[in-house]
Amino acid sequence: MVRSVRRSRLTGAFLSLTALALALTGCGSGGGSGSGGGTDKPDAKRNPTPTAAADRVEPLAATPTPRLPVTANSADGRKVTVASADRIVPLTGSLSEIVFTLGLGERVVGRDITATFEQAAKLPVVTRAHDVSAEGVLSLGPTLVLADTTTGPAEAIGQIRDAGIPLVVVDPAKSLADVGTRIAAVAGALGVETAGAELKKRTEERIDAVRDEIPTDERDTRGSGKDGGKPRVAFLYLRGSASVYLLGGRDSGASSLLEAAGALDAGKESGLTKDFTAITSEALAKAAPDAILVMTKGLDSVGGVDGLVKIPGIAETPAGMDRRVITVDDGVLLNYGPRTDEVLRSIVKQLYADGW
């Protein structure tokens, strides 16, 4: 949901998942609120009767029939023979999203807690923030298990393989460039390569269409002069209940989305080469964001925008002074899957609200 809260713009200029980012995304993820994870719900002052689209994936029009057996190249260096896709268990929410969007959702028998969309809601949870229950997975009688290189613990993965269950590992997506590759890898393991090519094409076309919607004429006349008018956006990972306050850097997983939206990743631009670093007043001052990107539950965990600006250093940034905050649901922000166009559209719409 959008929580873009706007006050009078103060004058002056002043912050702005790789494996860690993916793991963090899983922490505390619950139900989403929009089909793109950031489906727009305007502030009550702007729209007193907002509506939010259902949190659903959009399967391909035709349901494909897997052509099996296939031998899949697993990202951990193994070759895995898949003879049946009758009972599928994806061990991450993003993998579930791809399987359902390919049209094979009725074959999925279990889910990770980050599979927040409506079609998967009633499935039993067998993973929580990458804490796989081998017993839970095996109890479902799967014929295929899908994981990525961040899935663990290793002992659980080993137990599933030792039970003779085909387990295919897929490389996690870190940027927009990985979206098509990840879809193709999952489709290949399921024996539906043609459907995978169709979904890849549809997803990439929709992402390109969102890019065409970016109001470049307005963008280029605002923001920091030294950045050519591009807004600087800082990605923050917040879990107030655990006192976790992190600033995303080059490898946080958010850079590609922000750059596609015509913005600059403030953490990356300030020289942060790691995925995340602890938030400090000094780091925020150096990043100097014009806007802040956070996950919906992360913002809720600190008490909304009012609580966010109380974190030391936030209120002194241009983003804090303007209370310019962009939110996207936890379960999809860094998925880089079939709903990436909706995530990107939500970021664009919120970033350029009221004209940038």
Side-chain angles (χ1 to χ4, degrees):
M1 294 184 183
V2 176
R3 294 177 186 239
S4 182
V5 184
R6 191 118 171 116
R7 286 183 174 176
S8 298
R9 181 175 291 270
L10 302 181
T11 58
F14 175 122
L15 214 229
S16 108
L17 267 157
T18 62
L20 175 61
L22 290 168
L24 290 173
T25 305
C27 297
S29 292
S33 58
S35 63
T39 304
D40 299 296
K41 183 176 180 181
D43 182 88
K45 293 181 179 179
R46 298 181 185 172
N47 182 357
T49 57
T51 58
D55 183 10
R56 297 177 58 85
V57 299
E58 180 189 346
L60 295 174
T63 301
T65 299
R67 300 181 64 180
L68 301 170
V70 298
T71 299
N73 293 317
S74 185
D76 58 359
R78 300 170 183 258
K79 289 187 178 296
V80 180
T81 298
V82 180
S84 171
D86 290 342
R87 297 181 64 82
I88 307 166
V89 178
L91 297 181
T92 74
S94 59
L95 290 171
S96 290
E97 182 178 323
I98 295 173
V99 176
F100 272 83
T101 311
L102 284 168
L104 300 179
E106 291 187 357
R107 298 169 180 256
V108 178
V109 295
R111 69 180 177 97
D112 178 75
I113 197 171
T114 59
T116 60
F117 51 92
E118 183 178 307
Q119 293 100 319
K122 295 183 179 179
L123 292 171
V125 175
V126 292
T127 31
R128 296 177 181 273
H130 301 270
D131 183 13
V132 176
S133 167
E135 294 77 10
V137 172
L138 294 174
S139 71
L140 299 173
T143 59
L144 173 62
V145 175
L146 298 172
D148 67 28
T149 56
T150 68
T151 306
E155 294 79 5
I157 300 302
Q159 284 181 308
I160 295 169
R161 280 205 168 111
D162 289 344
I165 308 300
L167 189 151
V168 177
V169 178
V170 180
D171 283 320
K174 301 177 183 178
S175 70
L176 288 173
D178 299 326
V179 173
T181 302
R182 189 168 167 89
I183 290 172
V186 173
L190 295 171
V192 291
E193 291 185 349
T194 300
E198 180 184 348
L199 180 57
K200 177 178 180 289
K201 182 174 183 290
R202 187 186 84 175
T203 304
E204 292 175 345
E205 287 178 347
R206 290 180 175 184
I207 290 171
D208 288 342
V210 177
R211 283 172 156 161
D212 290 340
E213 297 171 6
I214 298 174
T216 54
D217 290 344
E218 292 184 18
R219 180 193 69 199
D220 291 339
T221 62
R222 305 291 291 273
S224 172
K226 66 179 180 180
D227 297 323
K230 291 185 177 181
R232 296 170 65 91
V233 182
F235 172 43
L236 305 186
Y237 180 81
L238 309 171
R239 282 295 179 266
S241 58
S243 298
V244 175
Y245 309 103
L246 303 176
L247 168 61
R250 182 186 63 193
D251 295 328
S252 72
S255 293
S256 183
L257 279 170
L258 294 174
E259 290 164 4
L264 297 173
D265 183 332
K268 174 183 174 181
E269 293 296 317
S270 69
L272 298 179
T273 58
K274 299 190 300 182
D275 38 25
F276 290 93
T277 190
I279 290 176
T280 65
S281 296
E282 294 76 13
L284 289 169
K286 188 173 182 180
D290 300 300
I292 290 170
L293 170 65
V294 293
M295 297 178 185
T296 303
K297 287 184 178 295
L299 186 61
D300 288 344
S301 76
V302 298
V305 177
D306 287 340
L308 176 66
V309 296
K310 294 178 182 178
I311 296 173
I314 295 288
E316 288 70 44
T317 67
M321 289 188 284
D322 259 357
R323 297 167 66 90
R324 196 175 187 92
V325 180
I326 302 166
T327 65
V328 177
D329 288 344
D330 302 45
V332 294
L333 175 57
L334 299 180
N335 275 3
Y336 288 111
R339 294 191 288 175
T340 298
D341 64 297
E342 294 297 333
V343 174
L344 181 59
R345 177 174 284 108
S346 180
I347 291 173
V348 168
K349 189 168 184 178
Q350 294 177 72
L351 180 59
Y352 300 107
D354 302 329
W356 174 253

